PDB file of all heavy atoms in Angstrom:
ATOM      1  N   ASP A  19      -5.048  34.930 -13.257  1.00  0.00           N
ATOM      2  CA  ASP A  19      -3.749  34.413 -12.819  1.00  0.00           C
ATOM      3  C   ASP A  19      -2.607  35.336 -13.210  1.00  0.00           C
ATOM      4  O   ASP A  19      -1.537  35.319 -12.578  1.00  0.00           O
ATOM      5  CB  ASP A  19      -3.501  33.029 -13.416  1.00  0.00           C
ATOM      6  CG  ASP A  19      -4.335  31.941 -12.759  1.00  0.00           C
ATOM      7  OD1 ASP A  19      -4.864  32.186 -11.655  1.00  0.00           O
ATOM      8  OD2 ASP A  19      -4.466  30.850 -13.349  1.00  0.00           O
ATOM      9  N   ARG A  20      -2.806  36.118 -14.269  1.00  0.00           N
ATOM     10  CA  ARG A  20      -1.770  37.047 -14.739  1.00  0.00           C
ATOM     11  C   ARG A  20      -1.920  38.436 -14.135  1.00  0.00           C
ATOM     12  O   ARG A  20      -1.234  39.371 -14.552  1.00  0.00           O
ATOM     13  CB  ARG A  20      -1.832  37.155 -16.262  1.00  0.00           C
ATOM     14  CG  ARG A  20      -1.585  35.842 -16.996  1.00  0.00           C
ATOM     15  CD  ARG A  20      -0.130  35.503 -17.058  1.00  0.00           C
ATOM     16  NE  ARG A  20       0.105  34.245 -17.770  1.00  0.00           N
ATOM     17  CZ  ARG A  20       1.303  33.840 -18.170  1.00  0.00           C
ATOM     18  NH1 ARG A  20       2.361  34.592 -17.934  1.00  0.00           N
ATOM     19  NH2 ARG A  20       1.452  32.684 -18.784  1.00  0.00           N
ATOM     20  N   GLY A  21      -2.814  38.581 -13.162  1.00  0.00           N
ATOM     21  CA  GLY A  21      -2.951  39.854 -12.462  1.00  0.00           C
ATOM     22  C   GLY A  21      -3.941  40.819 -13.066  1.00  0.00           C
ATOM     23  O   GLY A  21      -4.003  41.985 -12.654  1.00  0.00           O
ATOM     24  N   TRP A  22      -4.746  40.361 -14.030  1.00  0.00           N
ATOM     25  CA  TRP A  22      -5.730  41.233 -14.655  1.00  0.00           C
ATOM     26  C   TRP A  22      -6.985  41.327 -13.800  1.00  0.00           C
ATOM     27  O   TRP A  22      -7.328  40.389 -13.067  1.00  0.00           O
ATOM     28  CB  TRP A  22      -6.101  40.697 -16.038  1.00  0.00           C
ATOM     29  CG  TRP A  22      -5.101  41.036 -17.098  1.00  0.00           C
ATOM     30  CD1 TRP A  22      -3.806  40.604 -17.181  1.00  0.00           C
ATOM     31  CD2 TRP A  22      -5.312  41.882 -18.219  1.00  0.00           C
ATOM     32  NE1 TRP A  22      -3.191  41.128 -18.287  1.00  0.00           N
ATOM     33  CE2 TRP A  22      -4.094  41.917 -18.951  1.00  0.00           C
ATOM     34  CE3 TRP A  22      -6.397  42.608 -18.702  1.00  0.00           C
ATOM     35  CZ2 TRP A  22      -3.944  42.670 -20.112  1.00  0.00           C
ATOM     36  CZ3 TRP A  22      -6.253  43.341 -19.856  1.00  0.00           C
ATOM     37  CH2 TRP A  22      -5.040  43.376 -20.556  1.00  0.00           C
ATOM     38  N   GLU A  23      -7.674  42.464 -13.923  1.00  0.00           N
ATOM     39  CA  GLU A  23      -9.036  42.585 -13.420  1.00  0.00           C
ATOM     40  C   GLU A  23      -9.963  42.091 -14.529  1.00  0.00           C
ATOM     41  O   GLU A  23      -9.816  42.497 -15.684  1.00  0.00           O
ATOM     42  CB  GLU A  23      -9.375  44.034 -13.077  1.00  0.00           C
ATOM     43  CG  GLU A  23      -8.554  44.616 -11.942  1.00  0.00           C
ATOM     44  CD  GLU A  23      -8.940  46.058 -11.679  1.00  0.00           C
ATOM     45  OE1 GLU A  23     -10.138  46.402 -11.842  1.00  0.00           O
ATOM     46  OE2 GLU A  23      -8.050  46.847 -11.337  1.00  0.00           O
ATOM     47  N   VAL A  24     -10.911  41.225 -14.177  1.00  0.00           N
ATOM     48  CA  VAL A  24     -11.729  40.574 -15.193  1.00  0.00           C
ATOM     49  C   VAL A  24     -13.203  40.658 -14.806  1.00  0.00           C
ATOM     50  O   VAL A  24     -13.567  40.431 -13.643  1.00  0.00           O
ATOM     51  CB  VAL A  24     -11.331  39.093 -15.372  1.00  0.00           C
ATOM     52  CG1 VAL A  24     -12.233  38.412 -16.398  1.00  0.00           C
ATOM     53  CG2 VAL A  24      -9.872  38.978 -15.796  1.00  0.00           C
ATOM     54  N   GLU A  25     -14.016  40.964 -15.796  1.00  0.00           N
ATOM     55  CA  GLU A  25     -15.463  40.883 -15.639  1.00  0.00           C
ATOM     56  C   GLU A  25     -16.015  40.068 -16.801  1.00  0.00           C
ATOM     57  O   GLU A  25     -15.702  40.339 -17.960  1.00  0.00           O
ATOM     58  CB  GLU A  25     -16.087  42.275 -15.647  1.00  0.00           C
ATOM     59  CG  GLU A  25     -17.611  42.269 -15.494  1.00  0.00           C
ATOM     60  CD  GLU A  25     -18.182  43.675 -15.507  1.00  0.00           C
ATOM     61  OE1 GLU A  25     -17.669  44.529 -14.745  1.00  0.00           O
ATOM     62  OE2 GLU A  25     -19.121  43.915 -16.298  1.00  0.00           O
ATOM     63  N   VAL A  26     -16.807  39.062 -16.479  1.00  0.00           N
ATOM     64  CA  VAL A  26     -17.455  38.231 -17.499  1.00  0.00           C
ATOM     65  C   VAL A  26     -18.939  38.557 -17.500  1.00  0.00           C
ATOM     66  O   VAL A  26     -19.575  38.593 -16.443  1.00  0.00           O
ATOM     67  CB  VAL A  26     -17.257  36.730 -17.214  1.00  0.00           C
ATOM     68  CG1 VAL A  26     -17.911  35.883 -18.297  1.00  0.00           C
ATOM     69  CG2 VAL A  26     -15.773  36.386 -17.098  1.00  0.00           C
ATOM     70  N   ARG A  27     -19.491  38.791 -18.694  1.00  0.00           N
ATOM     71  CA  ARG A  27     -20.933  39.025 -18.815  1.00  0.00           C
ATOM     72  C   ARG A  27     -21.536  37.924 -19.683  1.00  0.00           C
ATOM     73  O   ARG A  27     -21.051  37.655 -20.774  1.00  0.00           O
ATOM     74  CB  ARG A  27     -21.213  40.399 -19.429  1.00  0.00           C
ATOM     75  CG  ARG A  27     -20.691  41.538 -18.582  1.00  0.00           C
ATOM     76  CD  ARG A  27     -21.073  42.897 -19.112  1.00  0.00           C
ATOM     77  NE  ARG A  27     -20.390  43.949 -18.373  1.00  0.00           N
ATOM     78  CZ  ARG A  27     -20.470  45.249 -18.680  1.00  0.00           C
ATOM     79  NH1 ARG A  27     -21.240  45.639 -19.695  1.00  0.00           N
ATOM     80  NH2 ARG A  27     -19.799  46.142 -17.978  1.00  0.00           N
ATOM     81  N   GLU A  28     -22.569  37.298 -19.155  1.00  0.00           N
ATOM     82  CA  GLU A  28     -23.222  36.169 -19.819  1.00  0.00           C
ATOM     83  C   GLU A  28     -24.724  36.378 -19.795  1.00  0.00           C
ATOM     84  O   GLU A  28     -25.299  36.682 -18.746  1.00  0.00           O
ATOM     85  CB  GLU A  28     -22.846  34.866 -19.121  1.00  0.00           C
ATOM     86  CG  GLU A  28     -23.669  33.648 -19.485  1.00  0.00           C
ATOM     87  CD  GLU A  28     -23.682  33.352 -20.985  1.00  0.00           C
ATOM     88  OE1 GLU A  28     -22.602  33.319 -21.591  1.00  0.00           O
ATOM     89  OE2 GLU A  28     -24.790  33.157 -21.523  1.00  0.00           O
ATOM     90  N   ARG A  29     -25.353  36.206 -20.948  1.00  0.00           N
ATOM     91  CA  ARG A  29     -26.793  36.474 -21.040  1.00  0.00           C
ATOM     92  C   ARG A  29     -27.646  35.416 -20.359  1.00  0.00           C
ATOM     93  O   ARG A  29     -28.784  35.679 -19.985  1.00  0.00           O
ATOM     94  CB  ARG A  29     -27.205  36.628 -22.497  1.00  0.00           C
ATOM     95  CG  ARG A  29     -27.020  35.389 -23.344  1.00  0.00           C
ATOM     96  CD  ARG A  29     -27.282  35.700 -24.811  1.00  0.00           C
ATOM     97  NE  ARG A  29     -27.092  34.541 -25.678  1.00  0.00           N
ATOM     98  CZ  ARG A  29     -28.053  33.707 -26.018  1.00  0.00           C
ATOM     99  NH1 ARG A  29     -29.282  33.887 -25.566  1.00  0.00           N
ATOM    100  NH2 ARG A  29     -27.811  32.682 -26.809  1.00  0.00           N
ATOM    101  N   HIS A  30     -27.125  34.192 -20.204  1.00  0.00           N
ATOM    102  CA  HIS A  30     -27.882  33.138 -19.537  1.00  0.00           C
ATOM    103  C   HIS A  30     -27.778  33.270 -18.020  1.00  0.00           C
ATOM    104  O   HIS A  30     -26.905  33.965 -17.498  1.00  0.00           O
ATOM    105  CB  HIS A  30     -27.380  31.764 -19.971  1.00  0.00           C
ATOM    106  CG  HIS A  30     -27.696  31.445 -21.391  1.00  0.00           C
ATOM    107  ND1 HIS A  30     -26.773  31.573 -22.411  1.00  0.00           N
ATOM    108  CD2 HIS A  30     -28.840  30.999 -21.974  1.00  0.00           C
ATOM    109  CE1 HIS A  30     -27.322  31.221 -23.558  1.00  0.00           C
ATOM    110  NE2 HIS A  30     -28.578  30.868 -23.323  1.00  0.00           N
ATOM    111  N   ALA A  31     -28.648  32.546 -17.318  1.00  0.00           N
ATOM    112  CA  ALA A  31     -28.679  32.610 -15.861  1.00  0.00           C
ATOM    113  C   ALA A  31     -27.570  31.798 -15.209  1.00  0.00           C
ATOM    114  O   ALA A  31     -27.325  31.927 -14.012  1.00  0.00           O
ATOM    115  CB  ALA A  31     -30.032  32.126 -15.346  1.00  0.00           C
ATOM    116  N   GLY A  32     -26.911  30.957 -15.972  1.00  0.00           N
ATOM    117  CA  GLY A  32     -25.821  30.126 -15.464  1.00  0.00           C
ATOM    118  C   GLY A  32     -25.009  29.616 -16.633  1.00  0.00           C
ATOM    119  O   GLY A  32     -25.284  29.974 -17.787  1.00  0.00           O
ATOM    120  N   PRO A  33     -24.000  28.793 -16.374  1.00  0.00           N
ATOM    121  CA  PRO A  33     -23.186  28.279 -17.473  1.00  0.00           C
ATOM    122  C   PRO A  33     -24.047  27.608 -18.530  1.00  0.00           C
ATOM    123  O   PRO A  33     -24.832  26.715 -18.217  1.00  0.00           O
ATOM    124  CB  PRO A  33     -22.267  27.266 -16.783  1.00  0.00           C
ATOM    125  CG  PRO A  33     -22.177  27.734 -15.372  1.00  0.00           C
ATOM    126  CD  PRO A  33     -23.528  28.306 -15.067  1.00  0.00           C
ATOM    127  N   PRO A  34     -23.962  28.052 -19.780  1.00  0.00           N
ATOM    128  CA  PRO A  34     -24.790  27.439 -20.834  1.00  0.00           C
ATOM    129  C   PRO A  34     -24.392  25.998 -21.052  1.00  0.00           C
ATOM    130  O   PRO A  34     -23.243  25.703 -21.364  1.00  0.00           O
ATOM    131  CB  PRO A  34     -24.497  28.309 -22.068  1.00  0.00           C
ATOM    132  CG  PRO A  34     -23.187  28.961 -21.777  1.00  0.00           C
ATOM    133  CD  PRO A  34     -23.098  29.107 -20.292  1.00  0.00           C
ATOM    134  N   ASP A  35     -25.331  25.087 -20.847  1.00  0.00           N
ATOM    135  CA  ASP A  35     -25.016  23.659 -20.926  1.00  0.00           C
ATOM    136  C   ASP A  35     -25.983  22.971 -21.868  1.00  0.00           C
ATOM    137  O   ASP A  35     -27.181  22.906 -21.597  1.00  0.00           O
ATOM    138  CB  ASP A  35     -25.103  23.019 -19.539  1.00  0.00           C
ATOM    139  CG  ASP A  35     -24.782  21.538 -19.572  1.00  0.00           C
ATOM    140  OD1 ASP A  35     -24.196  21.082 -20.567  1.00  0.00           O
ATOM    141  OD2 ASP A  35     -25.124  20.853 -18.593  1.00  0.00           O
ATOM    142  N   ILE A  36     -25.469  22.479 -22.972  1.00  0.00           N
ATOM    143  CA  ILE A  36     -26.311  21.730 -23.906  1.00  0.00           C
ATOM    144  C   ILE A  36     -26.069  20.234 -23.763  1.00  0.00           C
ATOM    145  O   ILE A  36     -26.518  19.440 -24.575  1.00  0.00           O
ATOM    146  CB  ILE A  36     -26.067  22.179 -25.355  1.00  0.00           C
ATOM    147  CG1 ILE A  36     -24.593  22.010 -25.738  1.00  0.00           C
ATOM    148  CG2 ILE A  36     -26.515  23.606 -25.547  1.00  0.00           C
ATOM    149  CD1 ILE A  36     -24.310  22.298 -27.195  1.00  0.00           C
ATOM    150  N   GLY A  37     -25.340  19.840 -22.700  1.00  0.00           N
ATOM    151  CA  GLY A  37     -25.166  18.433 -22.401  1.00  0.00           C
ATOM    152  C   GLY A  37     -24.118  17.762 -23.251  1.00  0.00           C
ATOM    153  O   GLY A  37     -23.411  18.372 -24.049  1.00  0.00           O
ATOM    154  N   GLY A  38     -24.024  16.437 -23.056  1.00  0.00           N
ATOM    155  CA  GLY A  38     -23.099  15.644 -23.847  1.00  0.00           C
ATOM    156  C   GLY A  38     -21.686  15.659 -23.307  1.00  0.00           C
ATOM    157  O   GLY A  38     -21.370  16.283 -22.297  1.00  0.00           O
ATOM    158  N   ALA A  39     -20.809  14.933 -24.017  1.00  0.00           N
ATOM    159  CA  ALA A  39     -19.411  14.808 -23.625  1.00  0.00           C
ATOM    160  C   ALA A  39     -18.517  15.546 -24.602  1.00  0.00           C
ATOM    161  O   ALA A  39     -18.848  15.709 -25.780  1.00  0.00           O
ATOM    162  CB  ALA A  39     -19.005  13.332 -23.558  1.00  0.00           C
ATOM    163  N   LEU A  40     -17.375  15.986 -24.102  1.00  0.00           N
ATOM    164  CA  LEU A  40     -16.392  16.705 -24.910  1.00  0.00           C
ATOM    165  C   LEU A  40     -15.073  15.957 -24.870  1.00  0.00           C
ATOM    166  O   LEU A  40     -14.673  15.433 -23.825  1.00  0.00           O
ATOM    167  CB  LEU A  40     -16.191  18.118 -24.353  1.00  0.00           C
ATOM    168  CG  LEU A  40     -17.436  19.004 -24.307  1.00  0.00           C
ATOM    169  CD1 LEU A  40     -17.152  20.260 -23.503  1.00  0.00           C
ATOM    170  CD2 LEU A  40     -17.889  19.359 -25.714  1.00  0.00           C
ATOM    171  N   GLY A  41     -14.378  15.934 -25.991  1.00  0.00           N
ATOM    172  CA  GLY A  41     -13.075  15.289 -26.046  1.00  0.00           C
ATOM    173  C   GLY A  41     -11.980  16.244 -25.616  1.00  0.00           C
ATOM    174  O   GLY A  41     -11.777  17.285 -26.238  1.00  0.00           O
ATOM    175  N   MET A  42     -11.298  15.897 -24.542  1.00  0.00           N
ATOM    176  CA  MET A  42     -10.159  16.680 -24.080  1.00  0.00           C
ATOM    177  C   MET A  42      -8.880  16.036 -24.619  1.00  0.00           C
ATOM    178  O   MET A  42      -8.315  15.117 -24.028  1.00  0.00           O
ATOM    179  CB  MET A  42     -10.125  16.738 -22.551  1.00  0.00           C
ATOM    180  CG  MET A  42     -11.298  17.471 -21.910  1.00  0.00           C
ATOM    181  SD  MET A  42     -11.305  19.260 -22.199  1.00  0.00           S
ATOM    182  CE  MET A  42     -12.478  19.388 -23.568  1.00  0.00           C
ATOM    183  N   TRP A  43      -8.439  16.505 -25.801  1.00  0.00           N
ATOM    184  CA  TRP A  43      -7.230  16.006 -26.419  1.00  0.00           C
ATOM    185  C   TRP A  43      -6.010  16.575 -25.699  1.00  0.00           C
ATOM    186  O   TRP A  43      -6.134  17.533 -24.917  1.00  0.00           O
ATOM    187  CB  TRP A  43      -7.225  16.384 -27.894  1.00  0.00           C
ATOM    188  CG  TRP A  43      -8.296  15.691 -28.672  1.00  0.00           C
ATOM    189  CD1 TRP A  43      -9.560  16.140 -28.918  1.00  0.00           C
ATOM    190  CD2 TRP A  43      -8.213  14.391 -29.270  1.00  0.00           C
ATOM    191  NE1 TRP A  43     -10.268  15.209 -29.644  1.00  0.00           N
ATOM    192  CE2 TRP A  43      -9.466  14.127 -29.880  1.00  0.00           C
ATOM    193  CE3 TRP A  43      -7.202  13.432 -29.364  1.00  0.00           C
ATOM    194  CZ2 TRP A  43      -9.736  12.944 -30.559  1.00  0.00           C
ATOM    195  CZ3 TRP A  43      -7.466  12.259 -30.052  1.00  0.00           C
ATOM    196  CH2 TRP A  43      -8.711  12.024 -30.643  1.00  0.00           C
ATOM    197  N   PRO A  44      -4.834  16.012 -25.919  1.00  0.00           N
ATOM    198  CA  PRO A  44      -3.634  16.510 -25.211  1.00  0.00           C
ATOM    199  C   PRO A  44      -3.457  18.018 -25.242  1.00  0.00           C
ATOM    200  O   PRO A  44      -3.112  18.601 -24.204  1.00  0.00           O
ATOM    201  CB  PRO A  44      -2.499  15.757 -25.910  1.00  0.00           C
ATOM    202  CG  PRO A  44      -3.115  14.444 -26.290  1.00  0.00           C
ATOM    203  CD  PRO A  44      -4.526  14.792 -26.700  1.00  0.00           C
ATOM    204  N   PRO A  45      -3.679  18.732 -26.374  1.00  0.00           N
ATOM    205  CA  PRO A  45      -3.515  20.194 -26.317  1.00  0.00           C
ATOM    206  C   PRO A  45      -4.467  20.868 -25.334  1.00  0.00           C
ATOM    207  O   PRO A  45      -4.104  21.864 -24.693  1.00  0.00           O
ATOM    208  CB  PRO A  45      -3.802  20.630 -27.755  1.00  0.00           C
ATOM    209  CG  PRO A  45      -3.496  19.440 -28.600  1.00  0.00           C
ATOM    210  CD  PRO A  45      -3.916  18.266 -27.765  1.00  0.00           C
ATOM    211  N   ALA A  46      -5.685  20.336 -25.202  1.00  0.00           N
ATOM    212  CA  ALA A  46      -6.634  20.911 -24.252  1.00  0.00           C
ATOM    213  C   ALA A  46      -6.179  20.673 -22.827  1.00  0.00           C
ATOM    214  O   ALA A  46      -6.269  21.565 -21.970  1.00  0.00           O
ATOM    215  CB  ALA A  46      -8.019  20.313 -24.470  1.00  0.00           C
ATOM    216  N   LEU A  47      -5.696  19.463 -22.535  1.00  0.00           N
ATOM    217  CA  LEU A  47      -5.230  19.172 -21.187  1.00  0.00           C
ATOM    218  C   LEU A  47      -3.996  19.999 -20.844  1.00  0.00           C
ATOM    219  O   LEU A  47      -3.831  20.454 -19.701  1.00  0.00           O
ATOM    220  CB  LEU A  47      -4.941  17.679 -21.051  1.00  0.00           C
ATOM    221  CG  LEU A  47      -6.184  16.781 -21.106  1.00  0.00           C
ATOM    222  CD1 LEU A  47      -5.786  15.319 -21.195  1.00  0.00           C
ATOM    223  CD2 LEU A  47      -7.077  17.019 -19.889  1.00  0.00           C
ATOM    224  N   GLU A  48      -3.130  20.234 -21.823  1.00  0.00           N
ATOM    225  CA  GLU A  48      -1.967  21.101 -21.581  1.00  0.00           C
ATOM    226  C   GLU A  48      -2.422  22.526 -21.280  1.00  0.00           C
ATOM    227  O   GLU A  48      -1.859  23.194 -20.395  1.00  0.00           O
ATOM    228  CB  GLU A  48      -1.046  21.086 -22.799  1.00  0.00           C
ATOM    229  CG  GLU A  48      -0.346  19.750 -23.018  1.00  0.00           C
ATOM    230  CD  GLU A  48       0.315  19.647 -24.384  1.00  0.00           C
ATOM    231  OE1 GLU A  48       0.366  20.691 -25.098  1.00  0.00           O
ATOM    232  OE2 GLU A  48       0.769  18.551 -24.749  1.00  0.00           O
ATOM    233  N   ALA A  49      -3.432  23.008 -22.016  1.00  0.00           N
ATOM    234  CA  ALA A  49      -3.962  24.341 -21.746  1.00  0.00           C
ATOM    235  C   ALA A  49      -4.572  24.401 -20.346  1.00  0.00           C
ATOM    236  O   ALA A  49      -4.375  25.377 -19.605  1.00  0.00           O
ATOM    237  CB  ALA A  49      -5.003  24.716 -22.800  1.00  0.00           C
ATOM    238  N   LEU A  50      -5.315  23.366 -19.967  1.00  0.00           N
ATOM    239  CA  LEU A  50      -5.895  23.327 -18.626  1.00  0.00           C
ATOM    240  C   LEU A  50      -4.814  23.279 -17.550  1.00  0.00           C
ATOM    241  O   LEU A  50      -4.972  23.875 -16.479  1.00  0.00           O
ATOM    242  CB  LEU A  50      -6.825  22.117 -18.509  1.00  0.00           C
ATOM    243  CG  LEU A  50      -8.152  22.258 -19.260  1.00  0.00           C
ATOM    244  CD1 LEU A  50      -8.813  20.895 -19.457  1.00  0.00           C
ATOM    245  CD2 LEU A  50      -9.093  23.202 -18.515  1.00  0.00           C
ATOM    246  N   ASP A  51      -3.716  22.593 -17.822  1.00  0.00           N
ATOM    247  CA  ASP A  51      -2.600  22.596 -16.876  1.00  0.00           C
ATOM    248  C   ASP A  51      -2.069  24.009 -16.667  1.00  0.00           C
ATOM    249  O   ASP A  51      -1.741  24.413 -15.535  1.00  0.00           O
ATOM    250  CB  ASP A  51      -1.470  21.687 -17.377  1.00  0.00           C
ATOM    251  CG  ASP A  51      -1.779  20.204 -17.216  1.00  0.00           C
ATOM    252  OD1 ASP A  51      -2.613  19.859 -16.349  1.00  0.00           O
ATOM    253  OD2 ASP A  51      -1.204  19.399 -17.965  1.00  0.00           O
ATOM    254  N   ARG A  52      -1.966  24.783 -17.757  1.00  0.00           N
ATOM    255  CA  ARG A  52      -1.469  26.153 -17.632  1.00  0.00           C
ATOM    256  C   ARG A  52      -2.439  27.021 -16.834  1.00  0.00           C
ATOM    257  O   ARG A  52      -2.035  28.013 -16.234  1.00  0.00           O
ATOM    258  CB  ARG A  52      -1.226  26.765 -19.014  1.00  0.00           C
ATOM    259  CG  ARG A  52      -0.097  26.103 -19.773  1.00  0.00           C
ATOM    260  CD  ARG A  52       0.492  27.027 -20.829  1.00  0.00           C
ATOM    261  NE  ARG A  52      -0.448  27.396 -21.865  1.00  0.00           N
ATOM    262  CZ  ARG A  52      -0.687  26.668 -22.955  1.00  0.00           C
ATOM    263  NH1 ARG A  52      -0.056  25.515 -23.134  1.00  0.00           N
ATOM    264  NH2 ARG A  52      -1.553  27.089 -23.861  1.00  0.00           N
ATOM    265  N   LEU A  53      -3.711  26.636 -16.830  1.00  0.00           N
ATOM    266  CA  LEU A  53      -4.713  27.357 -16.048  1.00  0.00           C
ATOM    267  C   LEU A  53      -4.844  26.810 -14.629  1.00  0.00           C
ATOM    268  O   LEU A  53      -5.669  27.302 -13.850  1.00  0.00           O
ATOM    269  CB  LEU A  53      -6.074  27.274 -16.752  1.00  0.00           C
ATOM    270  CG  LEU A  53      -6.152  27.863 -18.162  1.00  0.00           C
ATOM    271  CD1 LEU A  53      -7.520  27.586 -18.777  1.00  0.00           C
ATOM    272  CD2 LEU A  53      -5.859  29.350 -18.158  1.00  0.00           C
ATOM    273  N   GLY A  54      -4.072  25.777 -14.315  1.00  0.00           N
ATOM    274  CA  GLY A  54      -4.127  25.178 -12.989  1.00  0.00           C
ATOM    275  C   GLY A  54      -5.309  24.260 -12.767  1.00  0.00           C
ATOM    276  O   GLY A  54      -5.638  23.935 -11.616  1.00  0.00           O
ATOM    277  N   LEU A  55      -5.937  23.791 -13.850  1.00  0.00           N
ATOM    278  CA  LEU A  55      -7.171  23.009 -13.734  1.00  0.00           C
ATOM    279  C   LEU A  55      -7.060  21.620 -14.355  1.00  0.00           C
ATOM    280  O   LEU A  55      -8.036  20.885 -14.401  1.00  0.00           O
ATOM    281  CB  LEU A  55      -8.329  23.759 -14.398  1.00  0.00           C
ATOM    282  CG  LEU A  55      -8.610  25.163 -13.854  1.00  0.00           C
ATOM    283  CD1 LEU A  55      -9.677  25.855 -14.680  1.00  0.00           C
ATOM    284  CD2 LEU A  55      -9.019  25.098 -12.391  1.00  0.00           C
ATOM    285  N   GLY A  56      -5.878  21.271 -14.834  1.00  0.00           N
ATOM    286  CA  GLY A  56      -5.724  19.991 -15.515  1.00  0.00           C
ATOM    287  C   GLY A  56      -6.045  18.798 -14.632  1.00  0.00           C
ATOM    288  O   GLY A  56      -6.738  17.867 -15.067  1.00  0.00           O
ATOM    289  N   ASP A  57      -5.555  18.803 -13.402  1.00  0.00           N
ATOM    290  CA  ASP A  57      -5.786  17.650 -12.516  1.00  0.00           C
ATOM    291  C   ASP A  57      -7.267  17.492 -12.197  1.00  0.00           C
ATOM    292  O   ASP A  57      -7.781  16.365 -12.118  1.00  0.00           O
ATOM    293  CB  ASP A  57      -4.985  17.807 -11.224  1.00  0.00           C
ATOM    294  CG  ASP A  57      -3.488  17.611 -11.445  1.00  0.00           C
ATOM    295  OD1 ASP A  57      -3.098  17.056 -12.497  1.00  0.00           O
ATOM    296  OD2 ASP A  57      -2.714  18.029 -10.568  1.00  0.00           O
ATOM    297  N   ALA A  58      -7.962  18.610 -12.018  1.00  0.00           N
ATOM    298  CA  ALA A  58      -9.400  18.528 -11.718  1.00  0.00           C
ATOM    299  C   ALA A  58     -10.165  17.915 -12.877  1.00  0.00           C
ATOM    300  O   ALA A  58     -11.095  17.116 -12.675  1.00  0.00           O
ATOM    301  CB  ALA A  58      -9.941  19.920 -11.405  1.00  0.00           C
ATOM    302  N   VAL A  59      -9.780  18.257 -14.100  1.00  0.00           N
ATOM    303  CA  VAL A  59     -10.469  17.694 -15.260  1.00  0.00           C
ATOM    304  C   VAL A  59     -10.103  16.228 -15.445  1.00  0.00           C
ATOM    305  O   VAL A  59     -10.952  15.395 -15.790  1.00  0.00           O
ATOM    306  CB  VAL A  59     -10.142  18.519 -16.523  1.00  0.00           C
ATOM    307  CG1 VAL A  59     -10.686  17.834 -17.775  1.00  0.00           C
ATOM    308  CG2 VAL A  59     -10.738  19.921 -16.392  1.00  0.00           C
TER     309      VAL A  59
END
């Protein structure tokens, strides 16, 4: 979003998922808003 070129390298075949639920406290939702993803979450 800030105009950077980005490459992500991950050793797993897809997003590492160990299951379960995560608590999205207000600071996390504010961070997601800054990333444009708050409403989706």
Side-chain angles (χ1 to χ4, degrees):
D19 286 344
R20 299 281 180 168
W22 280 65
E23 296 179 34
V24 178
E25 180 180 310
V26 181
R27 298 185 188 175
E28 167 56 50
R29 64 188 179 92
H30 291 100
D35 180 17
I36 58 174
L40 300 169
M42 295 291 99
W43 293 91
L47 292 171
E48 291 167 9
L50 287 162
D51 285 336
R52 293 203 297 274
L53 300 175
L55 302 174
D57 288 343
V59 172

